[in-house]
Amino acid sequence: MTEADTSTDTHTDAGGGPGIGADTTAERWVPLEGCENVRDLGGLPLRDGGRTRFGQLLRSARLHELTERDVNFLTGEYGVRTVIDLRSPREVERDGPTPLERAGVRTEHLTVLPEGQRPIPRDDEDPKLFSYRGYLDHRPENMLAAVRLLTEPDAGPALVHCAAGKDRTGVFCALVADTVGVARDAVVHDYALSNERLEAVLRRGVGTEYEIDLADIDLYRCPPHVMTALLAELDTDGSGAGWLRRQGLPEEELHRLRARFVA
């Protein structure tokens, strides 16, 4: 079982993405020795022109194999001061502190998985979309708390991660990106970019809780149509910003979140 329910969609090449130059996409990837699927949320085109700022938020897979060089880069050159861990309490307890946590980086554990037995989608529902919707419907308080961390003046550059850095992290980053005004096609493209590093992530492993056969890799990909559908559902709340307002995010913090990513 993966960190999200599976989908039968086959791979879609993320490419440069609509409105996203290949050079910008290449610049967003952060090469580390002990972790794959690491990229900056900067460089994304905004609906009203311009791009998101680099150096504000990294997204990644699990951090437990970071090398000393990785830790020095993340805490020194990049300056990570806050880690947002979206994994379950079981995953956190199983793996123990990450190298960043042991190095003294503030780490907040905010699972977005439902408590107890996970709900089961209907036969006619896309299981991946069902799971993504569940992060927002069943753990809105933790999703909100994670976003609020990014509005703190002293939060500094932050890093958000789960197990593979594609499902839970993908929904969180899509919510943030949509809220600060990133163009919808760019939000979807960022989500689908995880497909480019998926095999490397699965080969390294996402924790013993998940049994993954690389022969079934297509089940674990990030289909663009799933994120498109989730964003369409957010529109019923007035987009990502509307959803956050409904959960209680003050307008002042919403402005701080946008100011963090938009120059």
Side-chain angles (χ1 to χ4, degrees):
M1 184 173 183
T2 62
E3 62 170 314
D5 292 320
T6 59
S7 170
T8 57
D9 246 51
T10 56
H11 174 54
T12 299
D13 184 7
I20 303 175
D23 291 343
T24 302
T25 298
E27 185 181 358
R28 296 184 56 223
W29 287 111
V30 178
L32 297 178
E33 296 174 332
C35 183
E36 284 76 31
N37 201 19
V38 187
R39 57 188 183 273
D40 197 303
L41 213 65
L44 298 177
L46 299 164
R47 293 188 289 268
D48 297 329
R51 294 182 181 270
T52 52
R53 297 168 59 195
F54 279 90
Q56 303 305 310
L57 180 65
L58 288 179
R59 52 175 299 172
S60 81
R62 64 195 292 272
L63 305 173
H64 289 79
E65 295 185 33
L66 292 179
T67 65
E68 182 178 358
R69 181 180 296 180
D70 293 337
V71 172
N72 289 339
F73 167 78
L74 291 171
T75 59
E77 184 175 338
Y78 197 90
V80 169
R81 297 179 62 183
T82 303
V83 171
I84 302 169
D85 183 350
L86 303 177
R87 296 174 305 144
S88 69
R90 179 178 176 180
E91 291 171 277
V92 172
E93 181 179 1
R94 178 201 63 211
D95 290 339
T98 69
L100 283 180
E101 195 169 4
R102 292 199 300 270
V105 177
R106 174 191 182 187
T107 300
E108 300 290 343
H109 303 287
L110 294 164
T111 182
V112 294
L113 294 181
E115 292 183 294
Q117 185 173 358
R118 298 185 191 179
I120 300 175
R122 301 189 310 266
D123 290 341
D124 61 342
E125 286 186 291
D126 185 302
K128 193 177 287 287
L129 177 59
F130 179 84
S131 290
Y132 290 1
R133 186 188 303 120
Y135 306 158
L136 300 172
D137 289 348
H138 298 294
R139 300 311 293 261
E141 73 287 355
N142 280 0
M143 191 68 78
L144 174 64
V147 171
R148 295 189 76 174
L149 288 171
L150 299 180
T151 73
E152 295 180 4
D154 59 349
L159 182 151
V160 60
H161 78 97
C162 50
K166 65 185 183 69
D167 297 314
R168 290 168 282 188
T169 297
V171 172
F172 175 79
C173 288
L175 177 65
V176 170
D178 189 60
T179 298
V180 304
V182 173
R184 281 288 173 88
D185 58 358
V187 177
V188 174
H189 173 258
D190 177 61
Y191 162 75
L193 267 180
S194 289
N195 291 327
E196 295 188 6
R197 304 297 165 92
L198 181 58
E199 182 173 349
V201 168
L202 298 184
R203 287 191 182 281
R204 183 179 294 277
V206 293
T208 56
E209 181 176 349
Y210 307 109
E211 297 181 4
I212 294 175
D213 185 342
L214 278 175
D216 298 325
I217 191 170
D218 283 343
L219 298 175
Y220 309 112
R221 297 197 188 276
C222 298
H225 81 267
V226 172
M227 182 54 65
T228 299
L230 184 69
L231 292 171
E233 291 186 6
L234 278 178
D235 282 339
T236 63
D237 280 317
S239 74
W243 187 89
L244 288 167
R245 288 189 183 98
R246 188 162 67 86
Q247 305 312 315
L249 185 69
E251 205 66 29
E252 177 186 355
E253 293 183 27
L254 185 59
H255 290 320
R256 288 208 299 266
L257 181 68
R258 287 172 171 157
R260 177 171 188 153
F261 288 93
V262 181

